[in-house]
Amino acid sequence: MERIERHACFGGWQDVYQHASETLGCTMKVGVYLPPQAQFGDVPVLYWLSGLTCTEQNFITKAGAQRYAAEHGVILVAPDTSPRGETVANDPAYDLGQGAGFYVNATQDPWSAHYRMYDYIVDELPRLIAANFPATGARSIFGHSMGGFGAIMIALRNPGRFRSVSAFSPIVAITRVPWGQKALRAYLGEDPAAWKACDPLELLKSATERLPILVDQGLGDEFIASQLKPDILQAACAEAGHPLMLNLRPHYDHSYYFISSFIGDHILHHATALKLERSPS
């Protein structure tokens, strides 16, 4: 990994790295915040998945998360949202192609050549973090909007991999809303089984791990009724007996003003889980 940015921040370092991704077949950028505690030993890792149109820059410059990561002693890892480059397939719309990887493995042309964000987040990126940074084996995951969907979906599909999961304004009913239907149809085709395999509402029904899901949703969010539908997630968790902490925040919208207002609560949630000792399996 090649470091291309470094900024002193709350006693630690906000860095940006680039690397050649074998999974995605392109050069990827990743924001990595190293808290001051990382100077003295290994610390746990918290992965952030951003939303539509974002790069690694949005979270590291707008969320104000470094202050809390420094307080609790966790590494923050914020990758880009899709493969990038002139040879990587794209679409003129903001909600498909570059900047809109949706954290799935595409099976349809022309997307299947590069769009394997699920494998990148689950396998390749954690290996790189473990090999290059003072990281323990404890990890958690959270995200916003498309990234909130990705965080919940990935946590549900990989029991035991993460200590905790949370999301801001997640696209939870991915197969029932326009953003999700467009992306799944393009990346996965019309196969209902492929859609079901990445649908959090379906994954909740068969989840073998009851990892509590923390969600913050702004009630002033312009996408709440058409694209996000937190009431459907609430009903699905209740039916499955899956623990959900859903905070509905009056007046807050879909922006980083909302995220930065409650990011401290989420990092505390994850830091608490990351520092708990697990019983031997």
Side-chain angles (χ1 to χ4, degrees):
M1 298 181 76
E2 176 191 3
R3 190 172 67 207
I4 58 174
E5 286 187 36
R6 166 154 275 203
H7 310 280
C9 188
F10 291 101
W13 296 100
Q14 178 60 66
D15 298 334
V16 177
Y17 290 82
Q18 67 181 14
H19 70 96
S21 169
E22 295 179 1
T23 301
L24 304 177
C26 69
T27 297
M28 289 293 286
K29 293 180 180 179
V30 185
V32 178
Y33 177 70
L34 294 172
Q37 295 87 339
Q39 301 174 59
F40 308 106
D42 293 350
V43 294
V45 183
L46 178 53
Y47 290 86
W48 169 267
L49 306 184
S50 290
L52 287 167
T53 76
C54 290
T55 69
E56 80 290 341
Q57 291 290 325
N58 297 74
F59 178 74
I60 67 175
T61 59
K62 295 181 179 181
Q66 295 92 342
R67 170 187 173 186
Y68 303 102
E71 178 183 345
H72 296 292
V74 297
I75 294 173
L76 288 175
V77 177
D80 200 349
T81 54
S82 77
R84 304 272 181 176
E86 294 182 1
T87 63
V88 175
N90 201 8
D91 189 273
Y94 75 94
D95 54 355
L96 191 67
Q98 296 187 33
F102 271 86
Y103 305 103
V104 299
N105 288 338
T107 58
Q108 306 299 302
D109 290 334
W111 313 104
S112 57
H114 295 281
Y115 284 75
R116 303 187 62 81
M117 286 299 293
Y118 177 86
D119 283 351
Y120 178 70
I121 298 299
V122 172
D123 295 321
E124 184 178 14
L125 184 57
R127 287 200 305 270
L128 286 168
I129 297 301
N132 290 278
F133 300 97
T136 69
R139 63 180 73 88
S140 292
I141 191 166
F142 66 154
H144 171 232
S145 194
M146 174 184 74
F149 151 72
I152 294 171
M153 179 267 291
I154 287 171
L156 289 172
R157 286 186 64 172
N158 294 274
R161 179 72 62 90
F162 300 97
R163 297 286 184 91
S164 51
V165 60
S166 76
F168 291 87
S169 316
I171 308 171
V172 288
I174 193 75
T175 66
R176 308 185 195 184
V177 299
W179 276 341
Q181 290 171 342
K182 179 179 181 178
L184 296 180
R185 187 167 287 113
Y187 297 146
L188 305 180
E190 299 289 350
D191 181 7
W195 287 32
K196 185 176 180 180
C198 64
D199 183 354
L201 303 178
E202 291 294 329
L203 294 169
L204 282 166
K205 297 176 182 178
S206 57
T208 58
E209 180 184 41
R210 296 303 184 194
L211 200 64
I213 301 171
L214 169 63
V215 170
D216 269 75
Q217 172 65 61
L219 292 179
D221 191 320
E222 62 269 42
F223 302 114
I224 189 171
S226 60
Q227 303 280 12
L228 307 178
K229 301 184 182 295
D231 53 316
I232 295 181
L233 175 64
Q234 188 173 39
C237 285
E239 183 176 352
H242 197 102
L244 170 69
M245 296 166 282
L246 175 61
N247 299 317
L248 301 175
R249 307 291 190 178
H251 312 303
Y252 286 92
D253 59 21
H254 201 69
S255 72
Y256 269 86
Y257 294 109
F258 169 50
I259 294 170
S260 63
S261 297
F262 301 101
I263 193 72
D265 295 343
H266 281 244
I267 293 180
L268 174 60
H269 168 77
H270 294 296
T272 301
L274 286 166
K275 293 174 182 179
L276 288 175
E277 291 295 331
R278 280 189 164 176
S279 300
S281 57

